[in-house]
Amino acid sequence: MTLSLSLFLLHSQMSLWSGSILHLTLLFSLVNFSPNNAFGEKISKLNQFIPSEQSNGCNLFQGSWVFYDQYPIYDGSNCPFVNPGLNCQKNGRPDKLYLKYRWKPDNCELSSFDGQDFLERFGGKKIMFVGDSLSSNQWQSLSCMLQSSVPNSNYTVVQKGLLLTLSFQDYGVDVTFLKNGFLVDLVVEKEGRVLKLDSISRAEQWKGVDILIFNSYHWWIHTGSIQTWDYFQVGDKMSKEMDRMEAYRIALTTWANWVDSNIDPMKTRVFFQGISATHYHGREWNEPAAKDCSGQTKPVEGSDYPGERYPGEAVVKSVLSNMTKPVYLLDITFLTQLRKDGHPSKYANGGLDCSHWCLAGVPDTWNLLLYSVLLEKENR
C-alpha cells in the first residue's frame, strides 16, 4: 500500500469516528463516450430519471437476498484499498455467512461481474465517486473488485487533498473518490462555518469525467458534536437552524441545476447513489430485543421490510424527476434495509458502526447494479 493511500485511509478512519461512539446513523455501458457511437445516439431518448426499470421490465431494486456459495467476489482482508474500519474479517468478525448473499431482483438476474471486461470497456475513461464516507465505501468496493480481477495489472494510488485516485495504468482507467458530503459549498466566515445551500463554486473537478456517481444524505442529519456547520445560508439570509429535509432539497436542487447547466450527456453519464440504510433499532425489522446491528448474521428474509422509509428518499426522487439532463438513481435503500447483518458493528476497529458496510459485502452489489445498468444501456 502506498504512503498516500495509508494516510488517506487513516484520515478517513479518524473522520469516521469523530463524535465518539454516538450512533453513526447521524454520521456518515460500459461504453465509448464519443458523440458518434450508438450510446450517443440513444441517450437523448432516455428519460432523465430512470429509478429502476430496464428494457426487459425488470426492477433491479426490488427483490431479495439469496445464499450464493461463490461469494464473496474478493477477499477484503487482502485488498489494499479497504478502510481499516470496514475490514471486518481482519478485525476479528467470527461469522462469514454475511459474505455469502447475492441480490436477486424479481424476474431477472444481475450481470455477473467481469473486472477485466469492465476495464477494457472503460479503457481511457475516468470514473469519479463524489460524496461522503458511504460514497467512499462504494469506491473501495469497486477498487477491490477491479484489482482482484486483474491482480497482475499495474496500478498507482495518488492523493491530492480530498481527491483519491486509483489508476489502472495498463487500461488507462482512473477510479476516483472526492470527499464532499454536502455537494454545495461549506465555507468558514467570520460568523462561523456556513453551509451555502444555493452555491457550488468548487465543481471544476467534476468536469471532464466520463462517469460521475454522486452521493449526499447522512451529513444533513448530523447534530451536536458531529454537525460540521454553524449556519445555513440561502441568498443573503442566514439561519442557525431550519428543516433539514428542506435544506437538503434546496441543496440537491442547486446540484441538479449545476448538472443541467454543465454536463454533456453525450460525454458523461451521471448517477446518484441512493440513501444507504442504518440499523440501530431492532424494532425496525421486527426484532425489538435487538438494540442495534450487533450479532446480526443474516439478512431480513423475503422482499418486505417492516421499517419506515427515509424522508430523504422522496426529496431525491422529486429533485431528480425535475432535471433536464439524464441522471440514473441507484436506488439502494430497500436492498440495504434488508441487510441488517452487513455492518461492521463492533468489528469496526473501534466503536460501533451500524451505518457503513463491511468489505467485502453489500457495496459490491451497488457496483454490480452500476455494471448491469451500464451494460443495459450499451445494449439498447
Side-chain angles (χ1 to χ4, degrees):
M1 185 186 302
T2 65
L3 177 60
S4 60
L5 178 57
S6 299
L7 291 174
F8 187 91
L9 293 179
L10 177 60
H11 172 75
S12 298
Q13 183 65 9
M14 292 173 65
S15 299
L16 192 66
W17 296 114
S18 62
S20 181
I21 55 174
L22 292 172
H23 278 181
L24 288 179
T25 187
L26 298 176
L27 268 183
F28 324 81
S29 302
L30 306 171
V31 85
N32 178 354
F33 290 96
S34 72
N36 297 321
N37 67 11
F39 172 83
E41 295 172 357
K42 295 173 182 176
I43 192 169
S44 62
K45 301 177 183 179
L46 300 177
N47 292 330
Q48 69 270 19
F49 170 49
I50 314 170
S52 56
E53 289 290 316
Q54 293 200 301
S55 61
N56 60 3
C58 169
N59 184 337
L60 290 176
F61 307 103
Q62 182 62 41
S64 59
W65 293 93
V66 298
F67 181 82
Y68 190 57
D69 190 54
Q70 296 183 43
Y71 273 12
I73 296 173
Y74 58 90
D75 182 354
S77 297
N78 294 325
C79 179
F81 314 116
V82 177
N83 184 296
L86 306 178
N87 208 331
C88 301
Q89 291 295 308
K90 196 170 184 177
N91 292 338
R93 180 167 175 169
D95 62 300
K96 295 184 178 182
L97 188 60
Y98 73 95
L99 295 167
K100 298 291 187 179
Y101 285 96
R102 175 175 61 87
W103 177 246
K104 172 65 175 67
D106 294 338
N107 305 317
C108 62
E109 297 283 346
L110 287 180
S111 301
S112 297
F113 189 75
D114 185 335
Q116 183 170 348
D117 175 73
F118 189 106
L119 289 165
E120 290 173 351
R121 290 176 181 267
F122 276 116
K125 304 303 179 184
K126 296 180 180 180
I127 305 165
M128 179 181 285
F129 295 90
V130 183
D132 59 23
S133 55
L134 288 157
S135 188
S136 174
N137 219 165
Q138 187 174 2
W139 174 87
Q140 292 171 54
S141 165
L142 182 60
S143 297
C144 293
M145 292 168 73
L146 293 173
Q147 192 274 332
S148 65
S149 297
V150 289
N152 298 318
S153 179
N154 295 315
Y155 70 85
T156 61
V157 181
V158 177
Q159 180 195 352
K160 293 182 179 179
L162 298 178
L163 187 72
L164 181 63
T165 302
L166 168 64
S167 299
F168 288 92
Q169 298 166 305
D170 297 337
Y171 300 92
V173 174
D174 289 344
V175 186
T176 299
F177 167 59
L178 177 62
K179 186 177 180 180
N180 186 338
F182 296 111
L183 303 181
V184 294
D185 291 338
L186 176 64
V187 299
V188 178
E189 299 183 343
K190 61 181 181 180
E191 296 86 356
R193 301 166 299 177
V194 182
L195 190 52
K196 297 178 178 288
L197 303 181
D198 57 353
S199 174
I200 293 179
S201 62
R202 288 171 284 189
E204 288 301 311
Q205 291 170 302
W206 304 354
K207 295 180 178 180
V209 177
D210 300 289
I211 294 183
L212 284 163
I213 305 101
F214 291 96
N215 158 260
S216 183
Y217 180 68
H218 285 272
W219 286 19
W220 292 93
I221 55 176
H222 288 183
T223 60
S225 63
I226 56 174
Q227 178 177 307
T228 54
W229 72 92
D230 301 306
Y231 295 93
F232 294 102
Q233 183 174 349
V234 180
D236 296 328
K237 184 178 179 181
M238 192 176 296
S239 58
K240 191 74 175 177
E241 190 55 272
M242 66 183 296
D243 179 88
R244 297 300 180 85
M245 289 302 98
E246 176 62 13
Y248 184 50
R249 183 193 65 78
I250 295 170
L252 278 191
T253 301
T254 301
W255 163 83
N257 290 339
W258 185 94
V259 171
D260 284 342
S261 299
N262 291 276
I263 292 298
D264 180 353
M266 299 296 182
K267 299 178 180 178
T268 301
R269 292 293 309 277
V270 181
F271 292 81
F272 194 91
Q273 181 204 82
I275 295 169
S276 175
T278 62
H279 294 90
Y280 286 99
H281 306 286
R283 63 179 181 273
E284 294 176 355
W285 59 91
N286 284 342
E287 195 176 337
K291 183 179 179 181
D292 47 50
C293 66
S294 299
Q296 299 294 327
T297 60
K298 296 180 181 180
V300 175
E301 293 183 2
S303 300
D304 293 302
Y305 186 76
E308 296 181 357
R309 303 303 286 261
Y310 297 98
E313 288 184 84
V315 175
V316 170
K317 291 178 180 179
S318 174
V319 170
L320 296 187
S321 67
N322 288 311
M323 295 180 68
T324 60
K325 296 291 176 68
V327 175
Y328 192 101
L329 174 62
L330 292 174
D331 196 3
I332 62 172
T333 305
F334 172 67
L335 64 91
T336 56
Q337 283 184 311
L338 297 176
R339 288 307 304 270
K340 58 187 174 66
D341 60 316
H343 302 288
S345 66
K346 64 181 181 180
Y347 303 102
N349 200 26
L352 174 72
D353 188 349
C354 296
S355 297
H356 302 88
W357 304 94
C358 294
L359 293 176
V362 173
D364 304 334
T365 293
W366 307 350
N367 289 313
L368 284 171
L369 289 162
L370 175 67
Y371 184 61
S372 292
V373 171
L374 291 169
L375 285 175
E376 165 74 7
K377 296 300 173 285
E378 183 183 49
N379 293 331
R380 282 191 178 184

XYZ file of all heavy atoms in Angstrom, residues 282-342:
473
model
N -33.661 -2.475 16.552
C -34.190 -3.754 16.110
C -35.672 -3.748 15.820
O -36.148 -4.553 15.010
N -36.412 -2.846 16.430
C -37.859 -2.783 16.173
C -38.154 -2.492 14.701
O -39.226 -2.825 14.204
C -38.507 -1.723 17.055
C -38.039 -0.307 16.795
C -38.751 0.716 17.695
N -38.330 2.071 17.440
C -37.280 2.653 18.014
N -36.553 1.975 18.898
N -36.960 3.905 17.733
N -37.178 -1.885 14.009
C -37.394 -1.551 12.602
C -37.507 -2.808 11.744
O -38.123 -2.778 10.678
C -36.266 -0.660 12.094
C -36.252 0.711 12.761
C -35.066 1.546 12.318
O -34.209 1.016 11.568
O -34.971 2.715 12.730
N -36.887 -3.897 12.174
C -37.001 -5.150 11.422
C -37.705 -6.233 12.259
O -37.466 -7.417 12.114
C -35.644 -5.623 10.909
C -34.577 -5.885 11.933
C -34.318 -7.067 12.562
C -33.589 -4.971 12.431
N -33.246 -6.949 13.415
C -32.769 -5.678 13.349
C -33.312 -3.616 12.182
C -31.708 -5.069 14.020
C -32.259 -3.023 12.857
C -31.477 -3.745 13.759
N -38.606 -5.775 13.118
C -39.434 -6.663 13.950
C -38.606 -7.545 14.884
O -38.933 -8.709 15.118
C -40.344 -7.543 13.075
C -41.523 -6.767 12.529
O -41.865 -5.694 13.038
N -42.164 -7.304 11.492
N -37.545 -6.981 15.411
C -36.728 -7.673 16.396
C -36.444 -6.701 17.547
O -35.313 -6.235 17.724
C -35.425 -8.166 15.755
C -34.687 -9.196 16.592
C -33.447 -9.731 15.873
O -33.388 -9.669 14.631
O -32.538 -10.205 16.577
N -37.480 -6.343 18.315
C -37.346 -5.286 19.324
C -36.295 -5.562 20.386
O -35.785 -4.623 21.012
C -38.747 -5.197 19.932
C -39.410 -6.486 19.587
C -38.843 -6.897 18.273
N -35.939 -6.822 20.604
C -34.923 -7.138 21.608
C -33.514 -6.775 21.130
O -32.587 -6.681 21.948
C -34.981 -8.622 21.959
N -33.351 -6.582 19.830
C -32.039 -6.225 19.281
C -31.823 -4.725 19.423
O -32.586 -3.926 18.882
C -31.943 -6.641 17.815
N -30.795 -4.341 20.147
C -30.520 -2.923 20.356
C -30.020 -2.260 19.082
O -30.320 -1.100 18.806
C -29.492 -2.763 21.481
C -29.184 -1.321 21.835
C -28.176 -1.240 22.968
C -27.864 0.211 23.302
N -26.852 0.308 24.406
N -29.236 -3.017 18.307
C -28.634 -2.465 17.103
C -28.251 -3.628 16.179
O -28.811 -4.714 16.299
C -27.421 -1.593 17.440
C -26.474 -2.269 18.429
O -26.106 -3.441 18.189
O -26.125 -1.650 19.453
N -27.281 -3.416 15.311
C -26.913 -4.451 14.337
C -25.969 -5.499 14.899
O -25.649 -6.470 14.213
C -26.282 -3.797 13.106
S -24.680 -2.991 13.416
N -25.528 -5.327 16.121
C -24.574 -6.277 16.713
C -25.149 -7.694 16.741
O -26.306 -7.899 17.117
C -24.219 -5.846 18.138
O -23.614 -4.571 18.152
N -24.349 -8.648 16.342
C -24.761 -10.047 16.385
C -25.658 -10.483 15.256
O -26.056 -11.665 15.192
N -25.991 -9.606 14.332
C -26.831 -9.975 13.196
C -25.981 -10.702 12.155
O -24.931 -10.216 11.751
C -27.473 -8.729 12.572
C -28.383 -7.963 13.523
C -29.618 -8.757 13.909
O -30.144 -9.539 13.111
N -30.098 -8.553 15.132
N -26.442 -11.864 11.724
C -25.655 -12.693 10.798
C -26.376 -13.007 9.491
O -25.771 -13.550 8.572
C -25.264 -14.021 11.462
O -26.450 -14.739 11.831
C -24.407 -13.774 12.702
N -27.671 -12.666 9.395
C -28.443 -12.950 8.190
C -29.278 -11.738 7.802
O -29.674 -10.949 8.659
C -29.377 -14.145 8.410
C -28.677 -15.468 8.686
C -29.713 -16.574 8.882
C -29.073 -17.914 9.173
N -30.085 -18.977 9.356
N -29.591 -11.604 6.512
C -30.479 -10.520 6.086
C -31.918 -10.772 6.553
O -32.270 -11.881 6.992
C -30.407 -10.579 4.551
C -29.268 -11.470 4.225
C -29.107 -12.398 5.379
N -32.742 -9.756 6.444
C -34.183 -9.938 6.586
C -34.642 -10.802 5.414
O -34.291 -10.539 4.259
C -34.918 -8.579 6.558
C -36.430 -8.783 6.591
C -34.469 -7.717 7.734
N -35.400 -11.828 5.688
C -35.836 -12.738 4.630
C -36.959 -12.114 3.803
O -37.759 -11.332 4.299
C -36.308 -14.060 5.225
C -35.198 -14.871 5.883
C -35.687 -16.209 6.398
O -36.879 -16.518 6.204
O -34.876 -16.955 6.983
N -37.018 -12.521 2.536
C -38.107 -12.098 1.669
C -37.902 -10.740 1.040
O -36.787 -10.202 1.013
N -39.003 -10.174 0.558
C -38.962 -8.917 -0.201
C -39.758 -7.810 0.462
O -40.257 -6.897 -0.198
C -39.511 -9.147 -1.621
O -38.736 -10.104 -2.309
N -39.867 -7.872 1.789
C -40.586 -6.838 2.525
C -39.749 -6.411 3.720
O -39.130 -7.237 4.392
C -41.940 -7.352 3.020
C -42.899 -7.642 1.880
O -43.185 -6.717 1.103
O -43.332 -8.801 1.760
N -39.748 -5.109 3.981
C -39.072 -4.577 5.158
C -40.092 -3.811 5.981
O -40.741 -2.891 5.470
C -37.917 -3.651 4.749
C -37.091 -3.192 5.935
C -36.183 -4.064 6.532
C -37.211 -1.908 6.451
C -35.411 -3.659 7.618
C -36.454 -1.502 7.532
C -35.552 -2.383 8.119
O -34.800 -1.981 9.201
N -40.266 -4.186 7.255
C -41.335 -3.581 8.050
C -41.072 -2.144 8.467
O -42.011 -1.412 8.819
C -41.417 -4.501 9.274
C -40.059 -5.118 9.381
C -39.579 -5.275 7.972
N -39.812 -1.732 8.465
C -39.481 -0.386 8.921
C -39.885 0.691 7.938
O -40.189 0.436 6.773
N -39.854 1.928 8.406
C -40.231 3.063 7.572
C -39.118 3.419 6.593
O -37.943 3.127 6.819
C -40.545 4.272 8.464
C -41.746 4.079 9.369
C -42.032 5.297 10.222
O -41.236 6.262 10.135
O -43.023 5.277 10.969
N -39.502 4.064 5.517
C -38.512 4.573 4.573
C -37.987 5.914 5.071
O -38.517 6.502 6.007
C -39.143 4.721 3.178
C -39.750 3.451 2.607
C -38.757 2.300 2.529
N -37.782 2.490 1.444
C -37.866 1.914 0.252
N -38.873 1.102 -0.017
N -36.950 2.121 -0.666
N -36.942 6.408 4.446
C -36.303 7.641 4.885
C -36.914 8.848 4.179
O -37.190 8.793 2.979
C -34.803 7.574 4.599
C -34.114 6.470 5.353
C -33.841 5.247 4.727
C -33.754 6.621 6.686
C -33.219 4.216 5.420
C -33.130 5.588 7.387
C -32.869 4.391 6.746
O -32.268 3.372 7.433
N -37.099 9.952 4.911
C -37.705 11.137 4.278
C -36.881 11.671 3.118
O -37.427 12.276 2.191
C -37.790 12.148 5.423
C -36.804 11.678 6.447
C -36.791 10.189 6.332
N -35.571 11.443 3.148
C -34.731 11.931 2.061
C -34.993 11.251 0.733
O -34.671 11.798 -0.327
N -35.573 10.050 0.758
C -35.851 9.346 -0.497
C -36.786 10.153 -1.394
O -36.561 10.283 -2.596
C -36.493 7.992 -0.215
C -35.568 6.954 0.372
C -36.277 5.627 0.509
O -36.323 4.871 -0.478
O -36.811 5.348 1.603
N -37.845 10.682 -0.799
C -38.809 11.464 -1.576
C -38.168 12.733 -2.117
O -38.463 13.171 -3.240
C -40.023 11.809 -0.711
N -37.266 13.322 -1.325
C -36.572 14.530 -1.767
C -35.715 14.216 -2.991
O -35.758 14.929 -4.001
C -35.707 15.103 -0.632
C -34.895 16.298 -1.129
C -36.571 15.505 0.560
N -34.936 13.150 -2.907
C -34.063 12.769 -4.020
C -34.876 12.522 -5.287
O -34.563 13.057 -6.362
C -33.247 11.514 -3.661
C -32.533 10.968 -4.891
C -32.239 11.828 -2.563
N -35.933 11.745 -5.176
C -36.713 11.395 -6.363
C -37.420 12.607 -6.951
O -37.532 12.739 -8.178
C -37.705 10.289 -6.011
C -37.014 8.961 -5.718
C -37.981 7.863 -5.308
C -37.237 6.566 -5.024
N -38.140 5.474 -4.602
N -37.861 13.509 -6.091
C -38.515 14.723 -6.578
C -37.533 15.596 -7.352
O -37.844 16.085 -8.450
C -39.111 15.506 -5.403
O -39.628 16.743 -5.830
N -36.343 15.802 -6.796
C -35.355 16.648 -7.461
C -34.908 16.022 -8.777
O -34.857 16.700 -9.815
C -34.148 16.891 -6.535
C -33.013 17.567 -7.294
C -34.556 17.741 -5.331
N -34.605 14.728 -8.767
C -34.145 14.083 -9.994
C -35.213 14.105 -11.083
O -34.903 14.230 -12.273
C -33.722 12.642 -9.710
C -32.517 12.417 -8.779
C -32.143 10.938 -8.754
C -31.322 13.254 -9.188
N -36.474 13.978 -10.690
C -37.548 13.938 -11.683
C -37.732 15.263 -12.403
O -38.330 15.309 -13.483
C -38.863 13.526 -11.013
O -39.304 14.528 -10.116
N -37.223 16.347 -11.829
C -37.363 17.671 -12.441
C -36.129 18.110 -13.214
O -36.091 19.239 -13.712
C -37.693 18.706 -11.363
C -39.110 18.558 -10.839
O -40.061 18.475 -11.615
N -39.256 18.507 -9.522
N -35.147 17.241 -13.335
C -33.935 17.603 -14.066
C -34.137 17.462 -15.575
O -34.972 16.683 -16.030
C -32.764 16.736 -13.594
C -32.370 16.967 -12.149
S -30.987 15.923 -11.609
C -29.643 16.608 -12.600
N -33.329 18.205 -16.317
C -33.421 18.138 -17.776
C -32.348 17.224 -18.376
O -32.463 16.834 -19.541
C -33.276 19.537 -18.396
O -32.001 20.089 -18.043
C -34.386 20.455 -17.896
N -31.318 16.899 -17.625
C -30.258 16.019 -18.103
C -30.437 14.627 -17.488
O -30.985 14.486 -16.393
C -28.875 16.588 -17.731
C -28.558 17.908 -18.385
C -28.350 17.765 -19.877
C -28.130 19.117 -20.552
N -26.846 19.739 -20.170
N -29.978 13.579 -18.173
C -30.187 12.215 -17.682
C -29.389 11.934 -16.403
O -28.176 12.120 -16.363
C -29.684 11.336 -18.830
C -29.606 12.237 -20.020
C -29.333 13.603 -19.498
N -30.066 11.476 -15.379
C -29.435 11.012 -14.140
C -30.116 9.710 -13.730
O -31.344 9.632 -13.705
C -29.556 12.052 -13.003
C -29.000 11.482 -11.701
C -28.820 13.336 -13.366
N -29.315 8.708 -13.415
C -29.862 7.412 -13.023
C -29.718 7.243 -11.521
O -28.627 7.396 -10.965
C -29.122 6.275 -13.738
C -29.804 4.931 -13.604
C -30.565 4.415 -14.646
C -29.691 4.188 -12.428
C -31.186 3.183 -14.522
C -30.314 2.966 -12.295
C -31.067 2.466 -13.347
O -31.698 1.256 -13.218
N -30.816 6.937 -10.864
C -30.806 6.713 -9.425
C -30.474 5.255 -9.118
O -31.212 4.342 -9.501
C -32.160 7.063 -8.819
C -32.334 6.747 -7.326
C -31.347 7.544 -6.480
C -33.764 7.011 -6.876
N -29.352 5.028 -8.443
C -29.047 3.708 -7.882
C -29.827 3.605 -6.582
O -29.368 4.014 -5.513
C -27.541 3.569 -7.640
C -26.661 3.518 -8.884
C -25.184 3.535 -8.500
C -26.970 2.289 -9.735
N -31.019 3.080 -6.679
C -31.991 3.140 -5.586
C -31.744 2.014 -4.580
O -32.501 1.038 -4.495
C -33.406 3.045 -6.172
C -34.465 3.474 -5.183
O -34.108 3.906 -4.071
O -35.655 3.375 -5.524
N -30.696 2.185 -3.782
C -30.205 1.110 -2.926
C -30.891 1.034 -1.566
O -30.581 0.131 -0.775
C -28.685 1.251 -2.701
C -28.372 2.569 -1.974
C -27.944 1.148 -4.027
C -26.926 2.713 -1.550
N -31.831 1.920 -1.273
C -32.370 1.999 0.085
C -33.007 0.692 0.537
O -32.665 0.148 1.593
C -33.387 3.138 0.197
O -32.783 4.362 -0.238
C -33.848 3.302 1.638
N -33.938 0.168 -0.222
C -34.654 -1.032 0.206
C -33.717 -2.228 0.355
O -33.756 -2.947 1.351
C -35.775 -1.363 -0.787
C -36.423 -2.692 -0.522
C -37.176 -2.904 0.623
C -36.261 -3.745 -1.413
C -37.757 -4.144 0.882
C -36.836 -4.984 -1.166
C -37.585 -5.178 -0.011
N -32.853 -2.442 -0.621
C -31.984 -3.618 -0.549
C -31.004 -3.511 0.615
O -30.582 -4.532 1.182
C -31.275 -3.866 -1.880
C -30.278 -2.849 -2.431
C -28.865 -3.162 -1.966
C -30.320 -2.845 -3.958
N -30.618 -2.284 1.012
C -29.754 -2.141 2.180
C -30.550 -2.249 3.481
O -30.007 -2.705 4.498
C -28.974 -0.818 2.160
O -29.877 0.291 2.050
C -27.990 -0.789 1.010
N -31.811 -1.879 3.464
C -32.624 -2.055 4.666
C -32.709 -3.527 5.067
O -32.752 -3.863 6.251
C -34.024 -1.478 4.459
C -34.078 0.034 4.549
C -35.490 0.576 4.433
O -36.241 0.200 3.530
N -35.867 1.458 5.346
N -32.723 -4.405 4.078
C -32.791 -5.837 4.365
C -31.493 -6.390 4.957
O -31.497 -7.464 5.557
C -33.127 -6.611 3.087
C -34.484 -6.329 2.432
C -34.604 -7.117 1.126
C -35.638 -6.665 3.365
N -30.375 -5.643 4.831
C -29.072 -6.182 5.205
C -28.615 -5.704 6.588
O -27.552 -5.111 6.748
C -28.042 -5.834 4.146
C -28.208 -6.614 2.845
C -28.260 -8.116 3.009
N -27.114 -8.671 3.698
C -26.004 -9.080 3.100
N -25.902 -9.009 1.778
N -25.011 -9.582 3.804
N -29.402 -6.014 7.599
C -29.048 -5.693 8.978
C -27.764 -6.380 9.424
O -27.145 -5.994 10.421
C -30.194 -6.094 9.908
C -30.583 -7.579 9.828
C -31.837 -7.878 10.633
C -32.318 -9.313 10.444
N -31.394 -10.323 10.990
N -27.346 -7.403 8.671
C -26.166 -8.197 9.015
C -24.876 -7.679 8.404
O -23.797 -8.188 8.717
C -26.361 -9.635 8.542
C -26.561 -9.704 7.025
O -27.328 -8.868 6.483
O -25.963 -10.576 6.377
N -24.945 -6.693 7.538
C -23.783 -6.339 6.719
C -22.881 -5.255 7.271
O -21.867 -4.915 6.647
